Amino acid sequence: MTRHVAVIDIGKTNAKVALVDLATSSEVALRRMANAPVADGPYPHHDVELLWSFILDSLAGINREQRIDAISITTHGATGVLVDAAGELALPVLDYEFAGPDALAQDYDAIRPPFAETGTPRLPVGLNLGAQLFWQQRNSPAEFARAAAILTYPQYWALRLTGVAANEVTSLGCHTDLWNPWKADFSSLVDRMEWRRLMAPVRPAKDCLGPILPALAKLTGLDPQTPVLCGLHDSNASLLPHLLSDTPPFSVVSTGTWVVSMAVGGNKIGLDPARDTLVNVNALGDPVPSARFMGGREFSLLTEGQSEDWTEADVATVLARETSLLPSTQQGSGPFPHHRAAWLNADGISNGQRFAAISFYLALMTATCLDLIGADGPAIVEGPFARNRLFLRMLAAATARAVIASDAATGTSIGAALLASDQGKIQGKGERVEPPADPAWANHARSWRAAAEARG
């Protein structure tokens, strides 16, 4: 019986290896390191060799403490890997925040599929994986020609662990321009650019690609028969347990560098690609209305070097003064991509009041995302923001619906581990937060929304 699953979780800001106990739906071990792109070489790229050393060291260390029964993988999106016939990199793994692809925006826009085909909004820098590949092929034709396969990011790590090349729909369907979620097939762009021959076979996230390679088993001390699952995109890993266990309608808010909101069984609503709404594809292959903003990055920038302590008196002052941070701290994505951040009624505020206002801002941005995708029912918050009580209370106030705070330390790890589960379901756990009774919270949300929508 599979009980202890090691989850390799490569986020944009941090890389983690968590050991999940499927019997208790809990993380019983966790290794973590900062993850940042490097600037040497032809363009900013991910330091995959440093990450690989971290992964192997973490697997070995965790396995010494508790036998690992299986390995699953989850990573951030907007990342693809070109490998040659030997499985080595044909080109460095491009960092999606690199602005290089924007230089070819006009040419790329002329060939990319419409939103109606892919559910992919046009995004800046390298946030559309198709734009990355287009730029790489134009700028490094010889190296691109060496590529034997194009892999999505979780499956690159699966290749290194098993020697088996694959792709998977949650990463292909994550604002890439490469996937048609309605036909469950590659988009017209893939055929137009003649990339289909390079695309590794599409495998279900739950598929076992094989046992860990013998040399890696010897290096880490793992059983040579340890199975490695195909893996999935991180936001969809957060969604999966609830998709299998909860009754619609509900939404899942996956928080990390990005705050990604996904609606299941919500209201039918037309998505607006100009406001960073999109169609994700869940681990079962179904389209999911989604919206996002770079909330974790904004939180880090806004709170850097500042205390995160606050009191109820701080909250009362912010609500009474209507102190607000209006969007957006990070431009180019999110529901207000062209708005510039501005503080209202913030003169002389204390650190505690500032932290409260920042938490409210992030909750109100999230509530806007949920509105844009027709979310209904409770919102389940996964990841770091699930531990921010001010965020949870304001999100409940702004949506007038309950919010459930997941108690998993790493929001993605339980869902990724679930791929190896024989049970098929893991019951979600967490505190239920109801909308505050004090009308000042809802009034603050209405005032913020009106001010945010009015600004250009």
Side-chain angles (χ1 to χ4, degrees):
M1 176 182 173
T2 300
R3 175 167 177 174
H4 293 104
V5 182
V7 176
I8 299 165
D9 180 357
I10 310 298
K12 191 62 168 63
T13 306
N14 294 289
K16 300 163 281 271
V17 177
L19 187 68
V20 174
D21 185 341
L22 291 175
T24 60
S25 302
S26 62
E27 298 156 2
V28 294
L30 181 65
R31 304 288 197 277
R32 182 190 300 263
M33 67 167 276
N35 186 24
V38 292
D40 62 335
Y43 47 75
H45 59 276
H46 297 292
D47 192 343
V48 294
E49 295 310 318
L50 179 63
L51 288 168
W52 184 236
S53 294
F54 165 73
I55 289 167
L56 295 181
D57 289 347
S58 297
L59 291 174
I62 291 173
N63 191 61
R64 284 194 293 269
E65 300 167 6
Q66 174 64 61
R67 182 181 186 275
I68 293 172
D69 298 320
I71 299 171
S72 188
I73 307 160
T74 184
T75 77
H76 60 78
T79 304
V81 186
L82 293 151
V83 297
D84 63 19
E88 301 294 329
L89 295 184
L91 279 164
V93 182
L94 188 146
D95 171 28
Y96 65 63
E97 293 185 77
F98 171 54
D102 284 341
L104 298 178
Q106 186 173 356
D107 290 348
Y108 181 69
D109 289 346
I111 64 163
R112 67 180 293 269
F115 183 79
E117 179 186 336
T118 63
T120 295
R122 183 65 170 105
L123 299 172
V125 295
L127 285 167
N128 296 129
L129 179 53
Q132 290 184 36
L133 296 172
F134 183 80
W135 182 87
Q136 287 175 309
Q137 188 169 24
R138 282 279 192 93
N139 280 266
S140 304
E143 292 83 354
F144 196 96
R146 285 182 47 231
I150 297 173
L151 311 175
T152 37
Y153 203 32
Q155 289 66 51
Y156 167 68
W157 299 110
L159 172 69
R160 294 196 69 161
L161 289 165
T162 67
V164 177
N167 276 310
E168 187 273 334
V169 294
T170 61
S171 293
L172 287 171
C174 178
H175 52 81
T176 65
D177 281 330
L178 303 176
W179 190 252
N180 184 326
W182 323 116
K183 294 184 176 180
D185 193 11
F186 291 108
S187 74
S188 58
L189 174 67
V190 174
D191 291 321
R192 188 174 295 120
M193 296 301 298
E194 299 183 350
W195 292 337
R196 187 180 285 262
R197 62 183 177 81
L198 295 174
M199 292 293 177
V202 178
R203 301 277 296 269
K206 196 177 178 68
D207 267 14
C208 174
L209 296 188
I212 191 170
L213 290 168
L216 299 180
K218 184 176 182 180
L219 184 65
T220 59
L222 270 69
D223 187 313
Q225 296 305 309
T226 303
V228 179
L229 287 305
C230 183
L232 75 173
H233 171 238
D234 54 9
S235 298
N236 275 285
S238 295
L239 175 63
L240 183 58
H242 310 289
L243 195 65
L244 297 177
S245 299
D246 297 352
T247 302
F250 63 87
S251 58
V252 171
V253 178
S254 174
T255 69
T257 303
W258 292 90
V259 174
V260 182
S261 298
M262 297 164 281
V264 177
N267 302 308
K268 299 296 182 184
I269 191 168
L271 300 180
D272 183 355
R275 301 193 70 180
D276 213 350
T277 63
L278 61 147
V279 177
N280 268 303
V281 179
N282 68 32
L284 306 181
D286 299 323
V288 179
S290 306
R292 60 202 203 125
F293 72 106
M294 218 169 189
R297 175 69 55 78
E298 291 188 324
F299 178 83
S300 296
L301 291 172
L302 289 165
T303 61
E304 186 176 9
Q306 302 292 318
S307 169
E308 298 183 14
D309 294 331
W310 57 275
T311 66
E312 290 294 343
D314 291 326
V315 173
T317 298
V318 168
L319 294 174
R321 290 184 57 182
E322 295 189 359
T323 299
S324 295
L325 174 59
L326 297 179
S328 293
T329 302
Q330 292 278 291
Q331 282 85 46
S333 59
F336 303 98
H338 306 300
H339 289 36
R340 292 196 172 276
W343 283 92
L344 296 180
N345 306 317
D347 291 344
I349 60 172
S350 68
N351 284 338
Q353 292 159 14
R354 176 183 167 85
F355 182 79
I358 291 167
S359 299
F360 291 169
Y361 160 78
L362 296 167
L364 293 163
M365 288 283 281
T366 304
T368 302
C369 288
L370 291 170
D371 286 346
L372 289 171
I373 58 176
D376 196 5
I380 303 152
V381 179
E382 297 274 4
F385 286 10
R387 300 188 291 275
N388 184 333
R389 188 156 189 84
L390 294 176
F391 173 89
L392 301 171
R393 289 161 69 186
M394 183 53 77
L395 183 59
T399 59
R401 299 190 299 272
V403 171
I404 298 170
S406 171
D407 57 9
T410 307
T412 57
S413 64
I414 302 297
L418 182 59
L419 297 177
S421 173
D422 298 326
Q423 306 160 12
K425 294 185 180 183
I426 293 179
Q427 186 62 43
K429 297 183 293 182
E431 178 188 3
R432 186 181 180 93
V433 178
E434 299 291 345
D438 183 350
W441 290 76
N443 291 339
H444 185 90
R446 282 191 292 269
S447 297
W448 183 94
R449 186 165 299 170
E453 295 286 356
R455 297 178 70 243

